[in-house]
Amino acid sequence: MPTQLPVLQPQTVRKGPVVERPLKVGELAKLCGKTVRALHLYEEMGLLVPTQRSKGRYRMYDADAVMRVRWIAKLQDMGFSLQDIRTMSQQWEQSGSAPDAMAKVQALFEQKLAETQAQMQRLRMLSAELQASLEYLRTCPTCDPNRLIEACSACEEHQAFEDPPDLVAGFSAH
Amino acid sequence: MPTQLPVLQPQTVRKGPVVERPLKVGELAKLCGKTVRALHLYEEMGLLVPTQRSKGRYRMYDADAVMRVRWIAKLQDMGFSLQDIRTMSQQWEQSGSAPDAMAKVQALFEQKLAETQAQMQRLRMLSAELQASLEYLRTCPTCDPNRLIEACSACEEHQAFEDPPDLVAGFSAH
DNA sequence: ACCAACCCTTACGTGCACGTGAGGGTTAGG
DNA sequence: CCTAACCCTCACGTGCACGTAAGGGTTGGT
């Protein structure tokens, strides 16, 4: 713990957050749920630049960086690769006008939205398939325990099903 | 917590051409949309065993194998790793009774179902976020083209928004 | 017999997003 | 001043699901 109590800084800003102390890379990492190595990687890729370096070459970040890293994480979560994000970021910086930049990002987001919706559709089908397979499997504990596995895949408990669902059938196919 | 979205491809296990003549690995590969290398890999992992070898050590498969490989592909599409599939397959083979095997697979499928639903929930939120960001970006082409990017993030066209959405805000955070 | 098109094993390469040291320097509290 | 807990820069390692190539052997049709 600090031996000196924090000195209250005279506030020049009426509203808003206190001017944060610059962050070391480990602190930034913790605030963003990333590792130091990851932040270094982002920097190598030009995605994250420390606002300055300390006397001893320590990377120092300001509060903005927290937003930046969380933004990177969010895009990763969306399925963008770091390369994708790098391209996006560069396009943004290189575009001559705001509408130009907006249009490019817009296109990417629209494509991602389409992908996302398609993915949701597939997940719905997957979900249905899993439920069908579970339904099928749920009848199995009622099978005669002495019956062998090979027999079970066609046992009389399953007559309601034409065939075992694909996900179940694959087990018996050697 | 898998953050990457597995790209699902609709696959059918038991549909498509089925040939009764023993298959060479290349033929099996074409029938399943996999490469020969992939099938070799599955064999190395104990997931796929040729029913026999030809005189010259060629792998020979029967029609069952088509189902098996498509089943593997389907589970992969569901987000299971080859290791996962291997474990499942082994549990199935090692379990003494059919109900036992069923119960184990049931547990895995139930877990996967839960993951799938969670994923769908995430995708819904993602979709909403993308739409919000697109909504925000759509107002940008109306900005004065001579205005700089930095200015745009707070231009008067966006007064309807309290703040730019996270996905947009990240661009300006260096 | 001959040839193209297969197939075999072995083994190193790839892309991604970091992990994991090694060998050292820096900072802050006591 | 001393020490722990940071931080620095290389630079090689990891897990996954294969890709790719080398150096051969096999098959099936003409």
Side-chain angles (χ1 to χ4, degrees):
Chain A
M1 297 304 283
T3 47
Q4 282 189 334
L5 289 177
V7 176
L8 289 182
Q9 308 270 340
Q11 288 298 94
T12 50
V13 180
R14 291 162 293 173
K15 258 179 150 183
V18 178
V19 177
E20 282 98 356
R21 166 180 57 90
L23 297 162
K24 285 189 287 182
V25 67
E27 297 167 326
L28 177 60
K30 263 174 199 162
L31 285 174
C32 302
K34 289 282 175 180
T35 65
V36 172
R37 179 67 180 99
L39 300 188
H40 286 172
L41 176 65
Y42 301 160
E43 185 174 344
E44 284 170 29
M45 299 189 65
L47 277 176
L48 178 68
V49 185
T51 43
Q52 55 170 347
R53 293 280 187 134
S54 80
K55 205 176 169 184
R57 304 181 39 77
Y58 280 24
R59 292 166 177 85
M60 305 304 287
Y61 304 89
D62 56 14
D64 237 20
V66 179
M67 262 182 58
R68 179 72 169 185
V69 176
R70 286 186 180 155
W71 172 74
I72 293 172
K74 192 156 214 161
L75 288 173
Q76 278 187 293
D77 238 33
M78 292 171 59
F80 288 105
S81 71
L82 290 181
Q83 279 299 338
D84 291 338
I85 301 174
R86 198 174 77 96
T87 303
M88 254 188 264
S89 199
Q90 283 181 348
Q91 279 188 343
W92 182 273
E93 284 161 14
Q94 287 171 9
S95 54
S97 66
D100 188 18
M102 297 292 174
K104 281 174 177 163
V105 174
Q106 220 179 11
L108 277 165
F109 278 12
E110 262 160 8
Q111 184 191 334
K112 204 68 198 179
L113 181 58
E115 282 173 27
T116 302
Q117 312 238 326
Q119 180 74 355
M120 286 177 69
Q121 177 59 26
R122 284 193 290 266
L123 284 181
R124 269 191 289 275
M125 291 173 56
L126 192 60
S127 183
E129 199 154 2
L130 275 170
Q131 282 170 355
S133 297
L134 282 170
E135 180 79 5
Y136 184 90
L137 289 175
R138 254 188 266 283
T139 67
C140 273
T142 69
C143 287
D144 179 358
N146 296 325
R147 201 183 293 271
L148 291 177
I149 296 171
E150 293 78 22
C152 187
S153 64
C155 73
E156 63 278 2
E157 294 288 343
H158 290 146
Q159 285 180 349
F161 294 85
E162 294 183 359
D163 287 308
D166 285 357
L167 290 180
V168 177
F171 280 103
S172 337
H174 297 290
Chain B
M1 178 178 85
T3 45
Q4 292 273 359
L5 313 182
V7 176
L8 297 184
Q9 292 181 351
Q11 294 257 354
T12 313
V13 168
R14 275 166 302 175
K15 291 187 179 141
V18 173
V19 190
E20 288 307 327
R21 168 179 56 91
L23 297 162
K24 286 188 287 183
V25 66
E27 296 167 327
L28 177 59
K30 264 175 200 163
L31 286 174
C32 302
K34 289 282 176 181
T35 65
V36 171
R37 178 68 181 99
L39 300 187
H40 285 174
L41 176 66
Y42 301 160
E43 185 174 344
E44 283 170 31
M45 299 189 65
L47 276 176
L48 178 68
V49 186
T51 43
Q52 56 171 349
R53 292 281 187 133
S54 80
K55 206 176 171 184
R57 302 182 40 75
Y58 279 26
R59 291 165 178 85
M60 305 305 285
Y61 304 89
D62 56 15
D64 237 20
V66 180
M67 260 182 59
R68 179 72 169 185
V69 176
R70 287 185 181 157
W71 172 74
I72 293 173
K74 190 154 214 159
L75 288 172
Q76 278 187 291
D77 282 345
M78 291 170 59
F80 288 105
S81 71
L82 290 180
Q83 280 299 339
D84 290 338
I85 301 174
R86 198 174 79 95
T87 304
M88 255 189 258
S89 199
Q90 283 180 347
Q91 279 187 342
W92 181 274
E93 284 161 13
Q94 287 170 7
S95 54
S97 67
D100 188 19
M102 296 293 174
K104 281 174 177 165
V105 173
Q106 221 178 19
L108 276 165
F109 278 11
E110 262 158 9
Q111 184 190 334
K112 203 70 200 179
L113 181 58
E115 281 174 26
T116 302
Q117 313 238 323
Q119 180 75 353
M120 286 177 69
Q121 178 60 26
R122 280 190 54 238
L123 286 182
R124 267 191 291 276
M125 290 172 56
L126 201 61
S127 182
E129 200 153 4
L130 275 170
Q131 282 170 357
S133 296
L134 281 170
E135 180 80 7
Y136 184 89
L137 288 175
R138 257 188 264 282
T139 67
C140 275
T142 69
C143 286
D144 180 0
N146 296 324
R147 202 182 293 272
L148 291 177
I149 296 170
E150 293 77 23
C152 188
S153 64
C155 73
E156 61 277 2
E157 294 288 342
H158 290 146
Q159 285 180 348
F161 295 84
E162 292 186 359
D163 287 308
D166 284 358
L167 291 179
V168 177
F171 281 103
S172 340
H174 299 290

